[in-house]
Amino acid sequence: PIPYALAFWATYLWTRHGERQVLLRVASEEERRDQDAGSWQVINYGSKAARLAAFLVAFITPPITTGSARVVLYGLGLAAMIAGTLLRRYCFRTLGSNFTFQVTVSDKSGIVKQGIYRWVRHPSYTGGMIYNVGIGIALTNLYSVLLLAVGMAAVYVYRVRIEEEALCRAHSDYSDYMRHTKRFIPFLF
């Protein structure tokens, strides 16, 4: 129905706008050493493909539930989208100019260990997972949730491997940081 579609698309556009603003910020060549190994393209195109597939599946398969339970699920999905976005924006602010979409290692920057980075090495990717799974939940379609969860996990696994290798090469103490913090979920994983 139109009111639900409007709320979904308003949330979606608001969340994507913040990501686009950060995309416009690029470090100069002398300030960075690009070690991305194509992981930005994997995330960019992989997430778009997963979202497109999730939308298509939601239109051709039935929702997981109906009635008021579906409305509740939809609301939880929007809440997850907003929560994931807010977590990512917190990461953007915490890392400042060190946050880039391409894996970029600066010799001038250190390892950020304050805030949520005390407990998790990649909270931005955690936020991205929450956001994308939230899209699937808001679509109230189990297959959409699964497509987004598996698709995003696949692109983030590749990205994290590239990123952590670059950080270990640039910062001798990053290996120690890895031993004392979890990747995505505090105290668990």
Side-chain angles (χ1 to χ4, degrees), residues 20-151:
R20 296 290 165 227
Q21 296 295 6
V22 175
L23 264 175
L24 298 174
R25 189 181 68 216
V26 178
S28 69
E29 282 301 317
E30 67 246 11
E31 293 176 332
R32 68 183 181 94
R33 229 178 338 153
D34 190 347
Q35 299 179 342
D36 190 67
S39 69
W40 163 240
Q41 284 81 12
V42 170
I43 287 179
N44 187 30
Y45 296 118
S47 63
K48 287 177 182 174
R51 285 187 206 122
L52 178 61
F55 284 116
L56 292 174
V57 165
F59 283 107
I60 62 174
T61 61
I64 194 168
T65 188
T66 58
S68 61
R70 186 175 184 197
V71 174
V72 168
L73 202 57
Y74 165 80
L76 289 173
L78 290 183
M81 290 171 66
I82 292 167
T85 295
L86 292 175
L87 177 55
R88 284 184 58 81
R89 289 183 183 182
Y90 169 81
C91 295
F92 299 163
R93 282 190 312 276
T94 301
L95 292 179
S97 64
N98 291 324
F99 189 96
T100 58
F101 281 91
Q102 292 183 325
V103 173
T104 306
V105 177
S106 171
D107 297 332
K108 298 174 186 171
S109 67
I111 301 168
V112 175
K113 298 178 185 177
Q114 74 255 17
I116 196 168
Y117 289 91
R118 279 180 280 184
W119 301 291
V120 181
R121 296 192 306 267
H122 305 285
S124 177
Y125 302 146
T126 302
M129 284 294 293
I130 293 168
Y131 171 77
N132 282 288
V133 169
I135 290 173
I137 294 170
L139 293 172
T140 65
N141 187 283
L142 178 62
Y143 300 115
S144 296
V145 172
L146 293 173
L147 277 167
L148 286 162
V150 170

Side-chain angles (χ1 to χ4, degrees), residues 6 14 25 31 37 69 120 129 166 173 179 182-183:
L6 288 175
W14 172 76
R25 189 181 68 216
E31 293 176 332
V120 181
M129 284 294 293
D173 56 340
R179 282 190 292 280
K182 298 297 182 183
R183 271 194 175 140

